[in-house]
Amino acid sequence: MIEVTNLVKTYGKKDNTFNAVDDVTFSIPTGKSVAILGKSGSGKSTLMHIMSGLDKPTSGSILIDGKDILSLKQKDIDSFRSKKMSFIFQSFFVQAKESCYDNVSLPLEIAKISYSRRKKMIEAALAAVDMSEKINAKAGELSGGQKQRLAVARAIVNSPKILFADEPTGNLDSVTGGMVENLLFNYSKENNVTLIIVTHDADLAKRCEIQIHLKDGKIDSTRGII
Amino acid sequence: MKITDIVIRAGRSLKQAKARTLLTSLAIGVGAFTIVLSLAIGAGGRDYASNIITSNTNPQELFVQPKADANNDPTKPQKYTEGPSATYGNYSVKLLSQSDVDKITTLDGVESVTPIYSVKVQYITTEGQDKYQVSLRSFNDGVKLDYLAGNSENISTNNGILMTDTYLSSLGFSDASAAMGKKVQIAVNKSSNLAGIPESKIFEFTVIGVVKSPALAASPLSGMQIYKDDIKAIYDYSQKGTAMYGEYQGAIALAKNGADVKVVKNNIDNAGYEAQTAEDLMSFIFNFINVLQAILIGFGVLAVLTSVFGIINTQYISVLERTQQIGLMKALGMRRRDVGRLFKLEAAWVGFLGGAIGSGLAVIAGTIGNPFISKALNLGNTNLIVFEPLSVLAVVVGLIIVSVTAGIAPARKAAKLNPIEALRTE
């Protein structure tokens, strides 16, 4: 359960302020897929950053499973993120010069998973995205779709509770994009993982159980919120 | 993040930028090379010097001189003091008299005192051979000698002389054993004589031993040795009747067996003389080596200092290049401290590589160069470049620390990076 209450994020000073996120309140039950929709500048990315603890709001609160993440110290937020959350980005951010294995290994190293347990987890994650045979290939040699699948493997390897995806199909053609979408939705369903997709793609948003439309930082309309 | 994982990731990042890593390390390597080599030369030089000391002096010996006025300013006229003195140009040195020698003999810890008889002989020869210049010194059983034949056993009774091997062929002996038991003649000039009526006397000695002129000896003409009474006899003949007779430039005090030379030195100093131990006398060699070494190390340190800026620069570029990677790592929950560590450890790797490459090359160069240097300087089996594993290790560790220090500022920049900014692609 993610509860967002009266969230405000203000940029600028004195007379020159504007609210990127303006008094946003909603809650997302665990295991749901959520689309945060909006044009660029609507505040959807800022909202995602705040929800994941990467950014601090000006006011408001975020409770994740009853825990106020804004009251945590930086190192506890980091630790929370490494254990409970994961990210998928539009531009993949895979390390081109590293092997697929090492790319997927990074979140496990950050979460201090012991060396002996890592290998199995990495192999399982790569198998889940159908990339097992690429385990030793350099990430730079992969196609765009494969890179994003690798990024998905990296995101799910440590069994997160919340998966943030920022325009996950924005850099992909419709076929490979569809594959990645399927991967994400299936993973979310099968593992009861909350999937939060930030997008301006209405078709992708339709596949989500909950849709939150943002306009100028405010919630314009919602669908599916109970 | 575990430190081992950070070390591995740091190493991997460097491997991905091989050329840059290697070049940055080489800059440090130059410093490491210089420092390791100068440390080795210093160590070898000190070994060499202490070899000289043990083969030329007896550690229980002290060289005693009259006390010089410490406040003397040699640029100003000197005050006249009563007592015997020797004059060199317009500078005069006080001398020791026999009563001084007797006084020193009674001091605590002093076994015996032998005045330094400045003996000047005319030549040495043997039957049917040419005359050669020679210097004589008093036999000292505390000095290590390398006997080619014979020994010093009967030196006090037989008018024996220990000959240096360099004279063998000149005096017509085929080898060391051929010289044994042979008579040599040494001519001494009587100094007290009036000019124009030269008078000299031949002293005859028997060769009881042939010693190798030590390879490490300071003087190539390090003299032949005869018993101290024989030296005195020559001195008496040559100097008696001159104003300088019975006045010595110095004396050799022998500390009692088991007595601490430094304590004896203090005793003699307190009695109004100036004593120097063998180590004191040789300390100038150590000083010279230390100064030389310090200069060399100075150059090495300069090279390291230059390379520090190289590391800082490289690391800053690396942080800029990997902005997205850093952003990703922080988004995935990597702590600031760990991000900083990652970059500091990369710097540490660079320092380690540079140190290892530089000192490795230095060891190789020194090992290859040693035989040539020894040959060129005629040092025999002595190596002038001596590598001490511990000091090599210390240099490498030191360079790692220096590199990490250089990496602090870039690492801080990486740690402070805002992940949102870093991951903004447009």
Side-chain angles (χ1 to χ4, degrees):
Chain A
M1 185 79 159
I2 303 172
E3 293 158 275
V4 175
T5 315
N6 301 121
L7 207 62
V8 177
K9 175 72 179 180
T10 307
Y11 288 111
K13 278 175 186 168
K14 289 181 182 170
D15 305 337
N16 222 354
T17 58
F18 90 101
N19 293 341
V21 177
D22 197 354
D23 197 19
V24 169
T25 302
F26 59 85
S27 61
I28 301 166
T30 302
K32 295 286 178 189
S33 53
V34 183
I36 299 176
L37 273 150
K39 291 177 183 154
S40 44
S42 61
K44 58 189 194 301
S45 289
T46 306
L47 179 60
M48 183 194 89
H49 292 147
I50 295 171
M51 285 169 72
S52 61
L54 286 172
D55 205 353
K56 294 258 184 227
T58 311
S59 65
S61 76
I62 299 166
L63 299 183
I64 294 178
D65 295 333
K67 197 176 204 174
D68 182 2
I69 64 162
L70 300 178
S71 68
L72 295 176
K73 285 181 197 157
Q74 184 61 44
K75 75 170 191 181
D76 295 324
I77 294 178
D78 288 339
S79 152
F80 187 81
R81 222 169 26 237
S82 83
K83 290 192 177 88
K84 299 276 169 69
M85 294 179 182
S86 231
F87 295 86
I88 292 163
F89 303 94
Q90 182 175 5
S91 358
F92 324 135
F93 295 138
V94 294
Q95 299 306 307
K97 286 174 179 171
E98 290 181 2
S99 68
C100 292
Y101 185 96
D102 289 331
N103 265 286
V104 179
S105 170
L106 178 63
L108 300 181
E109 290 171 30
I110 290 171
K112 295 183 183 167
I113 306 291
S114 73
Y115 188 82
S116 49
R117 282 175 58 208
R118 276 185 222 158
K119 192 161 184 274
K120 272 195 176 155
M121 296 170 79
I122 294 166
E123 282 167 354
L126 282 169
V129 298
D130 199 16
M131 292 268 292
S132 292
E133 76 281 7
K134 296 282 184 189
I135 190 161
N136 290 317
K138 289 261 186 297
E141 295 160 3
L142 302 176
S143 68
Q146 287 173 325
K147 278 181 186 162
Q148 195 60 305
R149 272 150 66 199
L150 177 62
V152 173
R154 184 179 63 198
I156 64 176
V157 69
N158 199 22
S159 317
K161 290 277 162 275
I162 305 165
L163 193 53
F164 290 98
D166 189 357
E167 301 281 9
T169 57
N171 277 1
L172 301 175
D173 62 70
S174 55
V175 179
T176 47
M179 271 173 68
V180 169
E181 283 173 24
N182 289 341
L183 266 176
L184 292 174
F185 285 113
N186 289 343
Y187 181 79
S188 162
K189 274 280 121 355
E190 285 164 17
N191 298 284
N192 197 31
V193 168
T194 309
L195 174 65
I196 299 173
I197 301 176
V198 172
T199 186
H200 59 258
D201 178 351
D203 291 334
L204 173 56
K206 272 180 199 154
R207 293 189 63 177
C208 298
E209 294 157 291
I210 298 171
Q211 291 166 30
I212 300 167
H213 284 259
L214 286 184
K215 194 176 177 187
D216 300 328
K218 291 189 200 311
I219 293 180
D220 190 42
S221 65
T222 60
R223 258 188 58 195
I225 285 194
I226 310 143
Chain B
M1 208 159 166
K2 286 178 187 161
I3 199 81
T4 45
D5 288 325
I6 302 180
V7 172
I8 292 168
R9 286 223 165 242
R12 201 187 290 143
S13 311
L14 290 179
K15 228 164 102 190
Q16 284 159 5
K18 281 192 195 77
R20 192 170 63 192
T21 306
L22 197 69
L23 289 172
T24 318
S25 319
L26 280 181
I28 300 188
V30 172
F33 182 86
T34 317
I35 294 174
V36 167
L37 212 54
S38 29
L39 284 174
I41 290 171
R46 275 186 292 270
D47 278 3
Y48 174 62
S50 51
N51 257 335
I52 293 181
I53 292 172
T54 46
S55 65
N56 284 280
T57 54
N58 178 348
Q60 286 297 101
E61 270 182 9
L62 296 113
F63 179 61
V64 185
Q65 284 175 295
K67 198 173 217 108
D69 190 350
N71 299 323
N72 254 359
D73 181 353
T75 60
K76 287 184 179 146
Q78 305 293 305
K79 233 181 188 161
Y80 175 79
T81 39
E82 283 299 328
S85 64
T87 308
Y88 304 97
N90 56 0
Y91 186 73
S92 82
V93 177
K94 281 197 74 182
L95 297 175
L96 284 181
S97 64
Q98 189 59 44
S99 62
D100 293 320
V101 172
D102 295 340
K103 186 176 162 195
I104 297 164
T105 315
T106 62
L107 291 173
D108 217 21
V110 177
E111 170 81 43
S112 65
V113 178
T114 316
I116 293 173
Y117 303 109
S118 42
V119 169
K120 225 179 153 235
V121 306
Q122 289 177 297
Y123 59 82
I124 184 170
T125 190
T126 184
E127 231 177 295
Q129 299 297 328
D130 288 334
K131 299 167 178 172
Y132 293 95
Q133 298 176 20
V134 73
S135 67
L136 288 179
R137 58 186 172 118
S138 173
F139 172 72
N140 182 334
D141 60 3
V143 178
K144 273 192 250 165
L145 291 174
D146 196 355
Y147 289 96
L148 293 173
N151 53 52
S152 64
E153 229 169 75
N154 295 321
I155 196 158
S156 57
T157 49
N158 270 359
N159 257 10
I161 184 166
L162 292 174
M163 198 162 97
T164 44
D165 61 345
T166 46
Y167 280 81
L168 280 174
S169 61
S170 303
L171 292 176
F173 302 118
S174 58
D175 58 20
S177 46
M180 290 294 294
K182 296 288 185 329
K183 304 259 189 251
V184 292
Q185 291 82 37
I186 289 171
V188 181
N189 197 24
K190 194 170 172 77
S191 299
S192 62
N193 258 19
L194 295 168
I197 317 163
E199 188 190 328
S200 68
K201 183 176 167 184
I202 303 286
F203 289 76
E204 197 168 62
F205 291 94
T206 310
V207 179
I208 58 157
V210 179
V211 296
K212 204 168 169 187
S213 190
L216 298 170
S219 150
L221 272 175
S222 54
M224 302 200 185
Q225 300 181 44
I226 56 176
Y227 191 57
K228 61 180 184 187
D229 292 352
D230 296 335
I231 284 271
K232 186 167 188 334
I234 293 176
Y235 174 78
D236 284 345
Y237 173 76
S238 127
Q239 296 295 322
K240 206 162 203 166
T242 65
M244 300 304 288
Y245 181 72
E247 310 294 344
Y248 314 109
Q249 285 177 25
I252 302 292
L254 191 65
K256 279 192 178 121
N257 240 343
D260 188 347
V261 194
K262 288 196 177 105
V263 174
V264 178
K265 173 187 155 94
N266 269 341
N267 291 343
I268 298 175
D269 284 349
N270 291 341
Y273 302 95
E274 214 167 83
Q276 285 176 297
T277 62
E279 239 171 274
D280 294 337
L281 287 171
M282 290 295 174
S283 63
F284 78 95
I285 297 182
F286 287 104
N287 285 339
F288 174 72
I289 292 168
N290 289 343
V291 168
L292 190 74
Q293 190 185 19
I295 292 170
L296 283 172
I297 290 178
F299 282 122
V301 169
L302 267 183
V304 170
L305 201 68
T306 319
S307 66
V308 161
F309 295 104
I311 295 174
I312 296 175
N313 185 35
T314 315
Q315 287 299 99
Y316 265 127
I317 293 171
S318 182
V319 172
L320 285 181
E321 268 185 4
R322 285 151 64 196
T323 304
Q324 287 186 355
Q325 192 194 358
I326 298 163
L328 175 77
M329 290 190 294
K330 295 186 89 172
L332 293 178
M334 189 156 164
R335 291 175 57 185
R336 266 181 172 214
R337 202 179 64 184
D338 289 340
V339 174
R341 273 185 186 160
L342 178 68
F343 281 85
K344 276 181 229 165
L345 278 165
E346 280 181 29
W349 271 110
V350 169
F352 170 75
L353 275 177
I357 293 172
S359 37
L361 287 179
V363 171
I364 292 170
T367 315
I368 293 174
N370 253 334
F372 295 101
I373 295 168
S374 298
K375 206 171 168 192
L377 299 181
N378 218 354
L379 302 179
N381 288 328
T382 310
N383 283 337
L384 198 59
I385 304 175
V386 177
F387 294 99
E388 290 163 331
L390 219 65
S391 62
V392 173
L393 190 74
V395 169
V396 175
V397 171
L399 287 178
I400 291 175
I401 293 169
V402 168
S403 306
V404 171
T405 315
I408 285 178
R412 185 167 295 164
K413 188 184 166 75
K416 274 188 177 170
L417 215 72
N418 181 349
I420 300 167
E421 297 288 330
L423 292 173
R424 193 161 285 159
T425 40
E426 281 83 21

